[in-house]
């Protein structure tokens, strides 16, 4: 599955310098890209909205005419067969760049759940096939599940970023999504990279709360956890090869230090071998072409 960034405007393609080949696209160009992805036969897309205004209530995240909602409606109208998933998070929409409501110097977990539920419902209403909460607030999967059910979306699955680590490898994404925290870091809600057992606990909790698929993120540095999750849980396991993993391969290839195509293939083969059934990767079109 291919992650894509959508921004306001028309005819806009803002290249992301640290992610060669990737760009923020306005809705019209996003639709064209999705048509092409459908023709290529990739599994689907994951949409990230980059709004033009932000506030401390993340109101753009759950606005009915927000950037992601508009993008979903346009893509599902033009390419109904393409699976469209949405990232459900607040960091692209808050002025401070945190994934939730900031009270004092902390993110208020429970107040944030309300925003997340509203966002997920608005994405489903716009036509999203699946919602993917990536915020890592406690209890969010159950909260979102209930809200979806209440609003008539009991058939919309939740792809939970269940084991999401506080990782340096999200660096390029934060440039792409303009979501770098303005103070502090995400360590109070994302997981400690040294703690593998907690990842299994987080996955178990998300399953109990109603997650339909579980994700490990990043992918390459956490292959052990993909394997453990595959052996332990009987739902599809996803893995997200994140922006930094993609950027590192490109940077080394640009220097002539490794072969781009082989590095892409080997990294993705390893993620598959570890047990991922669904892979999110910025290489999606390249790998589909290479496999054709
Ligand atoms: C939003 C979110 C992030 C990524 C996906 N969803 C960034 C973060 O948590 O800081 C990272 C994806 C990537 O690096 O490719 N919370």
């Amino acid at each position: 599955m291919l992650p894509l960034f959508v921004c306001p405007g028309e005819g806009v393609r803002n290249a992301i310098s640290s992610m060669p080949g990737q760009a923020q696209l306005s809705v019209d160009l996003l639709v064209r890209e999705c048509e092409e992805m459908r023709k290529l036969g990739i599994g689907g897309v994951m949409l990230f909205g980059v709004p033009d205004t932000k506030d401390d209530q993340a109101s753009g995240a759950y606005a009915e005419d927000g950037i992601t909602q508009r993008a979903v409606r346009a893509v599902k109208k033009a390419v109904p067969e393409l699976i469209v998933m949405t990232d459900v998070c607040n960091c692209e929409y808050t002025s401070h760049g945190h994934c939730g409501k900031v009270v004092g110097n902390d993110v208020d977990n429970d107040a944030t759940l309300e925003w997340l539920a509203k966002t997920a419902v608005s994405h489903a209403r716009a036509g999203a096939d699946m919602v993917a909460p990536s915020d890592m607030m406690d209890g969010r999967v159950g909260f979102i599940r209930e809200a979806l059910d209440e609003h008539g979306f009991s058939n919309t699955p939740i792809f939970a970023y269940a084991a999401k680590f506080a990782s340096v490898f999200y660096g390029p994404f934060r440039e792409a999504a303009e979501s770098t925290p303005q103070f502090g870091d995400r360590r109070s809600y994302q997981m400690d990279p040294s703690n593998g057992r907690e990842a299994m606990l987080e996955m178990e909790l998300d399953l109990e709360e109603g997650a339909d698929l579980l994700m490990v993120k990043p992918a390459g540095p956490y292959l052990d956890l993909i394997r453990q999750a595959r052996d332990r849980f009987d739902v599809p396991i996803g893995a997200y090869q994140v922006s930094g993993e993609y950027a590192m391969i490109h940077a080394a290839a640009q220097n002539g230090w490794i072969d781009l195509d082989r590095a892409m293939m080997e990294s993705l083969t390893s993620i598959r071998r570890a047990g991922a059934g669904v892979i999110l990767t910025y290489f999606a079109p390249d790998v589909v072409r290479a496999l054709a």
Side-chain angles (χ1 to χ4, degrees), residues 13-71:
R13 172 184 293 273
N14 290 330
I16 301 160
S17 59
S18 52
M19 300 170 70
Q22 308 299 314
Q24 297 174 347
L25 301 173
S26 53
V27 173
D28 54 327
L29 296 191
L30 176 83
V31 167
R32 260 194 255 159
E33 177 81 3
C34 286
E35 282 165 347
E36 202 156 307
M37 290 307 114
R38 169 68 191 162
K39 274 185 218 136
L40 264 180
I42 69 158
V45 296
M46 169 82 93
L47 299 184
F48 291 91
V50 187
D52 46 4
T53 58
K54 304 172 187 245
D55 58 33
D56 62 356
Q57 300 296 310
S59 40
Y62 41 83
E64 290 301 327
D65 63 344
I67 182 66
T68 304
Q69 290 79 356
R70 278 188 281 137

Side-chain angles (χ1 to χ4, degrees), residues 10-135:
E10 233 189 282
V12 180
R13 172 184 293 273
N14 290 330
I16 301 160
S17 59
S18 52
M19 300 170 70
Q22 308 299 314
Q24 297 174 347
L25 301 173
S26 53
V27 173
D28 54 327
L29 296 191
L30 176 83
V31 167
R32 260 194 255 159
E33 177 81 3
C34 286
E35 282 165 347
E36 202 156 307
M37 290 307 114
R38 169 68 191 162
K39 274 185 218 136
L40 264 180
I42 69 158
V45 296
M46 169 82 93
L47 299 184
F48 291 91
V50 187
D52 46 4
T53 58
K54 304 172 187 245
D55 58 33
D56 62 356
Q57 300 296 310
S59 40
Y62 41 83
E64 290 301 327
D65 63 344
I67 182 66
T68 304
Q69 290 79 356
R70 278 188 281 137
V72 171
R73 278 195 292 268
V75 172
K76 286 308 292 185
K77 189 169 169 214
V79 210
E81 321 79 37
L82 183 71
I83 303 247
V84 174
M85 306 194 304
T86 54
D87 185 79
V88 175
C89 195
N90 297 300
C91 59
E92 298 107 273
Y93 303 92
T94 51
S95 35
H96 44 68
H98 274 289
C99 300
K101 180 171 186 169
V102 169
V103 178
N105 265 331
D106 269 321
V107 170
D108 183 331
N109 189 97
D110 293 2
T112 303
L113 298 182
E114 304 281 349
W115 295 357
L116 294 167
K118 281 197 279 186
T119 302
V121 169
S122 71
H123 290 177
R125 197 174 282 137
D129 296 297
M130 209 184 303
V131 292
S134 70
D135 54 284

Side-chain angles (χ1 to χ4, degrees), residues 89 91 134 164 170 173-174 186 190 217 242-243 282:
C89 195
C91 59
S134 70
K164 175 171 174 181
Y170 307 148
F173 172 95
R174 292 182 186 171
R186 300 206 205 291
Q190 298 183 353
K217 176 183 173 192
V242 300
S243 56
Y282 302 97

Side-chain angles (χ1 to χ4, degrees), residues 34-270:
C34 286
E35 282 165 347
E36 202 156 307
M37 290 307 114
R38 169 68 191 162
K39 274 185 218 136
L40 264 180
I42 69 158
V45 296
M46 169 82 93
L47 299 184
F48 291 91
V50 187
D52 46 4
T53 58
K54 304 172 187 245
D55 58 33
D56 62 356
Q57 300 296 310
S59 40
Y62 41 83
E64 290 301 327
D65 63 344
I67 182 66
T68 304
Q69 290 79 356
R70 278 188 281 137
V72 171
R73 278 195 292 268
V75 172
K76 286 308 292 185
K77 189 169 169 214
V79 210
E81 321 79 37
L82 183 71
I83 303 247
V84 174
M85 306 194 304
T86 54
D87 185 79
V88 175
C89 195
N90 297 300
C91 59
E92 298 107 273
Y93 303 92
T94 51
S95 35
H96 44 68
H98 274 289
C99 300
K101 180 171 186 169
V102 169
V103 178
N105 265 331
D106 269 321
V107 170
D108 183 331
N109 189 97
D110 293 2
T112 303
L113 298 182
E114 304 281 349
W115 295 357
L116 294 167
K118 281 197 279 186
T119 302
V121 169
S122 71
H123 290 177
R125 197 174 282 137
D129 296 297
M130 209 184 303
V131 292
S134 70
D135 54 284
M136 288 302 278
M137 299 300 135
D138 289 335
R140 74 215 197 283
V141 173
F143 208 83
I144 290 173
R145 181 72 274 155
E146 226 168 86
L148 286 172
D149 292 354
E150 256 170 44
H151 289 84
F153 299 108
S154 49
N155 289 331
T156 303
I158 298 178
F159 190 174
Y161 286 71
K164 175 171 174 181
F165 289 87
S167 171
V168 70
F169 297 111
Y170 307 148
F173 172 95
R174 292 182 186 171
E175 177 202 330
E178 299 170 11
S179 65
T180 307
Q182 299 303 302
F183 65 90
D185 54 44
R186 300 206 205 291
R187 278 183 255 190
S188 71
Y189 40 103
Q190 298 183 353
M191 294 172 39
D192 177 348
S194 65
N195 203 341
R197 275 196 302 249
E198 188 188 15
M200 293 305 118
L201 179 62
E202 289 282 353
M203 294 186 132
E204 229 163 85
L205 292 172
D206 281 1
L207 267 186
E208 277 170 24
E209 289 177 29
D212 299 282
L213 301 86
L214 297 173
M215 195 191 304
V216 176
K217 176 183 173 192
Y222 297 86
L223 292 180
D224 57 324
L225 301 181
I226 298 173
R227 168 48 55 195
Q228 282 179 44
R230 176 63 292 150
D231 290 344
R232 201 157 157 162
F233 305 115
D234 293 319
V235 294
I237 302 297
Y240 195 147
Q241 184 181 49
V242 300
S243 56
E245 300 176 73
Y246 177 81
M248 282 194 299
I249 291 174
H250 267 285
Q254 274 174 14
N255 274 296
W257 295 337
I258 54 170
D259 180 85
L260 179 65
D261 288 343
R262 287 183 55 201
M264 166 183 84
M265 272 303 179
E266 190 170 330
S267 64
L268 291 169
T269 302
S270 298

